[in-house]
Amino acid sequence: MAEIAQIEAGARLTVDLGAIIANYRTLCARAPGAVCAPVVKADAYGLGAAGVVPALLEAGADTFFVAQLSEARELRALAPRAVIYVLNGLVPGSGTELAALDARPVLGAMEEVEEWAAFCSSTGKRHAAALQIDTGMNRLGLSAAEARALAGGNAGALDAIDLALVMSHFIASEIPGAESNGRQIAAFEALRAHFPGIPASMANSSGVFLDQKPHYDLVRPGYALYGGNPTPGEPNPMRAVVTLEARIARTRIAEAGESVGYDATWTAKRRSHLAIATLGYADGLPWTAAGGTAAGGTAAGGTAAALVAGRRCPIVGRISMDLFAIDVTDLGEGKVRRGDFAAVIAPDLTIDELARASGTIGYDVLTGLGQRCARAYLAAGRSFGAARQRG
Ligand SMILES: *Cc1c(COP(=O)(O)O)cnc(C)c1O
């Protein structure tokens, strides 16, 4: 099976579970005394919750965050005893479903608080939930005034609920000098004082690394677990997790003056050796990875690189849906053959680097990867699930 999947797929995505476990431990160590609760929304940032969650359980994680109810259901099957929070909150009428899964909504609007309180009253049980308070994102979360009024107890809604966590979310924690960090921390501290004795949470991956150490009782890292750099501009404190390699379908020569790919965005300046690799934007390689401009544009192209035979070579021409081209001229004759693999993400060719070259963020690249790659999960020197392909 593994063999067949490797042969049928144009590319392979390798997820190093040992590195995820190491990253989990690094994050725990950065926030001593706080619960380190992995965020595994969007199928563990695209890497496959079914592979990633067992590794995190093995590392000692017992509290997780997902975005929505369907993800909570999948996670519950993988983690029967874990505490599960649903970040997007309470979909109208979904109380019974959430309670059946023993999942906790992160209540992010007064209407949700009221519905959850009514649901609890109707079942005669104080079901657990988190409360999100907005400190600047203007996305989900109660306003400061709503949070104060709720804590003041005028509606009595809180009496019906088992309030297990009060949380907020940073708008720019990846920028350590951002003025918003201090402002949000101050706002959160003032508001959480209205909820004495309730555990508090503020930090995502980058928040864990802020000098102010806004760790409180629980931290919620996602991106850093999967190898993304939570401290942009500084060396990455995390271990690389993902390797993405494409098979080379063929090599060819482009003579000086000949163009490569759609819209002729790249023209060979010299007689060039090319490797054509079987991975494209349908697999999550950004269309913009090779200097993409609007269709019909004539950008020189080629800011992203691929690793071929251990060396960086420029990606040239438009990224196609299923293919891309690499200029391997500088490798010299005979170094690349049909059937070899070229990496676009590897320990020394990072997700953040590919994202930067593509004009996007690593989160976007990560969550878009591998719709039809053969996947392999590596753990402590052994590998499994090599045949697993995402449906
Ligand atoms: C996605 C998310 C996180 C995790 O963020 P990372 O930057 O990936 O660590 C934490 N908290 C909330 C509310 C989120 O939506």
Side-chain angles (χ1 to χ4, degrees):
M1 273 306 283
E3 299 279 304
I4 290 170
Q6 293 284 340
I7 287 169
E8 289 183 350
R12 60 188 183 205
L13 179 72
T14 307
V15 179
D16 185 343
L17 298 177
I20 292 181
I21 291 173
N23 289 342
Y24 180 74
R25 296 200 170 124
T26 297
L27 290 159
C28 291
R30 294 294 302 219
V35 171
C36 185
V39 180
V40 295
K41 60 193 180 189
D43 202 23
Y45 287 49
L47 298 185
V52 168
V53 169
L56 289 167
L57 289 170
E58 194 182 310
D62 61 6
T63 302
F64 293 83
F65 286 80
V66 292
Q68 54 191 44
L69 185 54
S70 62
E71 296 171 344
R73 185 175 296 110
E74 193 189 341
L75 178 57
R76 180 53 79 210
L78 295 166
R81 285 180 299 278
V83 173
I84 300 175
Y85 286 101
V86 180
L87 287 165
N88 285 1
L90 182 64
V91 172
S94 65
T96 308
E97 280 300 312
L98 276 166
L101 290 170
D102 191 19
R104 305 176 174 184
V106 177
L107 304 170
M110 272 312 294
E111 282 176 285
E112 291 181 32
V113 174
E114 282 154 15
E115 182 176 330
W116 191 248
F119 170 73
C120 290
S121 301
S122 75
T123 60
K125 186 176 171 209
R126 294 169 69 244
H127 293 282
L131 183 69
Q132 175 137 231
I133 303 174
D134 183 50
T135 51
M137 184 72 101
N138 268 308
R139 198 173 64 171
L140 302 177
L142 270 57
S143 70
E146 287 171 330
R148 281 193 299 267
L150 182 68
N154 56 359
L158 276 191
D159 296 338
I161 294 173
D162 173 15
L163 186 59
L165 186 70
V166 175
M167 57 175 266
S168 193
H169 194 44
F170 283 112
I171 64 174
S173 55
E174 76 284 4
I175 305 169
E179 168 272 334
S180 57
N181 292 329
R183 182 161 39 84
Q184 286 190 279
I185 290 169
F188 184 64
E189 290 187 355
L191 287 166
R192 77 172 278 236
H194 292 270
F195 300 87
I198 308 296
S201 174
M202 184 93 195
N204 67 331
S205 295
S206 295
V208 170
F209 292 86
L210 286 175
D211 285 343
Q212 297 98 320
K213 297 188 174 17
H215 302 146
Y216 307 107
D217 303 293
L218 181 149
V219 295
R220 315 184 302 266
Y223 190 53
L225 281 172
Y226 311 110
N229 187 356
T231 57
E234 305 275 327
N236 190 350
M238 314 317 297
R239 264 178 62 184
V241 169
V242 178
T243 305
L244 178 61
E245 299 159 292
R247 185 183 284 103
I248 289 164
R250 63 164 297 170
T251 58
R252 68 182 308 133
I253 304 281
E255 299 295 343
E258 289 182 354
S259 71
V260 174
Y262 287 118
D263 300 325
T265 57
W266 185 82
T267 300
K269 292 195 177 64
R270 55 178 175 176
R271 186 168 200 265
S272 301
H273 291 260
L274 304 178
I276 310 300
T278 55
L279 178 86
Y281 59 77
D283 302 289
L285 181 64
W287 181 80
T288 48
T293 55
T298 51
T303 52
L307 276 178
V308 187
R311 282 191 49 192
R312 270 164 198 253
C313 302
I315 296 177
V316 295
R318 282 257 188 274
I319 307 294
S320 299
M321 188 184 295
D322 320 291
L323 298 163
F324 70 97
I326 311 164
D327 180 355
V328 294
T329 315
D330 291 338
L331 286 183
E333 209 75 41
K335 289 280 165 48
V336 199
R337 286 210 183 77
R338 169 173 170 260
D340 288 353
F341 282 85
V344 294
I345 300 171
D348 43 7
L349 186 60
T350 65
I351 292 168
D352 290 286
E353 190 178 331
L354 173 59
R356 205 173 319 115
S358 307
T360 184
I361 55 171
Y363 292 70
D364 183 26
V365 171
L366 189 59
T367 54
L369 288 182
Q371 296 294 333
R372 59 176 170 181
C373 300
R375 289 183 178 212
Y377 293 89
L378 306 179
R382 71 204 156 84
S383 75
F384 60 91
R388 209 175 156 273
Q389 225 172 316
R390 188 154 149 193

